[in-house]
Every structure is written in structure tokens, then in C-alpha cells.
Amino acid sequence: METLAMHISNGIIDGPVAAVFAAIALAAMTVCVLRGRRDLDDRLAPMAGLVAAFIFAVQMLNFPIFTAGVSGHLLGGALAAMLVGPWVGALCVAVVLVVQALVFGDGGVAMLGLNITNMAVLGTAAAYLLIALLLRVLPRTPTGLAVTAFVSALVSVVVAAMGFVLQYQLGGTTDLGGNLAGLAGTMAGVHLLIGIGEGLITATTVVTVAKARPDLVYALRALKPAAPAPVPAVGGVR
């Protein structure tokens, strides 16, 4: 568990399952490329590069989880989803994961499909679904935006961790003796703490960008607030 650090290393999951999730990740990235092209413009394209570079840099910084004996770092799914949208955001996270695996050995190259599925696909998708929901009910103030960013980031980290639990059930190379619930509990507990750190970083970053350039926050541009309920006519007024 201490060596996982969310990035799955070679040999943790068997080859057939890794191959299946490589195909899933490739299909998901293809969809993201096709859908992301519709969003790309003169504003979003450079922003995507900045977001990928920021996630890459911040992922190099680990914060200790003293109660669990491990350390955590930003995954970036929620941050990318808020700033550049779910399609381009997933691509940003995937690019970071590929560079880390190939250049720094952070996560096994053979496990890239698993890691991309968990962090780029599941994490970003879960985050954006929550963002879309919360921005419809919360005020679009710095506080409302901070709450949205924090909650979506925290949940996205836990969802990504549960993706690993599913993958391990399908093809884990070490027999847990039927104690899958124990693995799920450990992963959820550790990544809940990591998610708090991720939520704070995401909320701080998004609110800072929104105060300076709200037009650069994809979620504020693309997601419209809920329309007020119509007021019924009364008293026979035409």
C-alpha cells in the first residue's frame, strides 16, 4: 500500500486486466479528443497547456498523511475539469501521467491504462458531474466556488481510489484472502485524507483564477445557473 501512492506500479495488476483497461483508456481518450476539439479556441488551448504544466509541477510536491504513514499529492482531475472542462481536462491529466511514467518512472508503463482510467477518466468525470450539480444550487460567489472545488476534488480522489479497488479485484497479483472490503476501507480512508489536501489546493487555485479572470474558468462559462421558477399569474391579470 505504501508503494502504490495512487500510481499503480508494474506487477500490481496482471497483464490481461491491464490490457483491458489500456483499451478502455484509449477509447476514452479518443472520445475526449473528438469532443475536446469542439471546446478548443484561442482562450482554452493555451489554458490547457498551463493547466497540464501546473498539475505536473504540483504533483511533484507530496504532503504527508501522518495517520496513514503515506504521502499524497494532487491528482488534478477536479482542477482540470473546472478550468478547461471534462474532455480537455481528462486529456491534460492523461498527458501528465504519461510523462511521469515514461520520464520519472512514477507508475508502471504497462499499467498506464489503469492509471489513466482511474485518475484521468474516473476522477475527472466524477468531479465534473459534481461541479455541474453544485454550481446549479450554490451561489457563484468565491465561497460557493470554493465549496464546489473542494467537494468535487475530494470526491474525485476517492472515486479514483475505488477504481483501483475494482481493478485489483479483477486482476490483483497478491491474494488478499477475500479481504477486499479491508482493501477498500484502507484505500478510502487514506485517499479521503489526500482528498482534503487536494480540495484545499483546488479551491485556492480556482478561486484565485476566478477573481482575476473569471472568463478563464470553463465551469463558469459553460454551466449556466438554474433558471428561476416562473411566477404564476394571479387575479385574472392578462
Side-chain angles (χ1 to χ4, degrees):
M1 294 297 296
E2 293 183 3
T3 61
L4 290 178
M6 196 66 231
H7 294 263
I8 304 171
S9 302
N10 289 332
I12 300 293
I13 307 295
D14 65 30
V17 172
V20 168
F21 279 94
I24 292 173
L26 181 60
M29 292 300 101
T30 301
V31 173
C32 288
V33 169
L34 296 176
R35 295 295 299 270
R37 285 178 179 175
R38 305 177 188 177
D39 294 333
L40 283 178
D41 53 24
D42 293 340
R43 175 172 45 190
L44 190 62
M47 191 64 181
L50 291 173
V51 167
F54 180 79
I55 292 173
F56 179 81
V58 177
Q59 281 199 3
M60 295 298 178
L61 304 175
N62 291 308
F63 48 88
I65 308 297
F66 297 107
T67 58
V70 298
S71 63
H73 62 69
L74 184 78
L75 299 187
L79 177 64
M82 289 208 73
L83 294 181
V84 296
W87 311 110
V88 178
L91 291 171
C92 288
V93 177
V95 168
V96 171
L97 293 174
V98 170
V99 173
Q100 287 183 334
L102 295 178
V103 178
F104 297 98
D106 195 358
V109 174
M111 302 293 114
L112 260 176
L114 300 159
N115 287 320
I116 289 174
T117 299
N118 293 339
M119 289 181 273
V121 179
L122 293 180
T124 305
Y128 194 74
L129 288 174
L130 266 176
I131 291 166
L133 173 63
L134 293 174
L135 284 182
R136 289 182 64 86
V137 298
L138 292 177
R140 298 194 173 202
T141 61
T143 300
L145 198 59
V147 171
T148 299
F150 179 86
V151 173
S152 61
L154 188 153
V155 172
S156 72
V157 172
V158 176
V159 169
M162 292 303 100
F164 166 75
V165 174
L166 172 62
Q167 292 162 353
Y168 201 89
Q169 181 184 24
L170 296 174
T173 55
T174 301
D175 185 12
L176 298 177
N179 191 24
L180 186 67
L183 174 63
T186 300
M187 291 292 289
V190 169
H191 287 85
L192 182 64
L193 297 174
I194 294 174
I196 293 173
E198 169 131 3
L200 293 173
I201 295 172
T202 303
T204 302
T205 305
V206 170
V207 170
T208 301
V209 173
K211 285 182 176 180
R213 290 285 304 274
D215 60 302
L216 294 180
V217 180
Y218 177 94
L220 294 179
R221 301 195 313 270
L223 299 172
K224 305 301 181 184
V231 178
V234 294
V237 177
R238 294 182 180 272

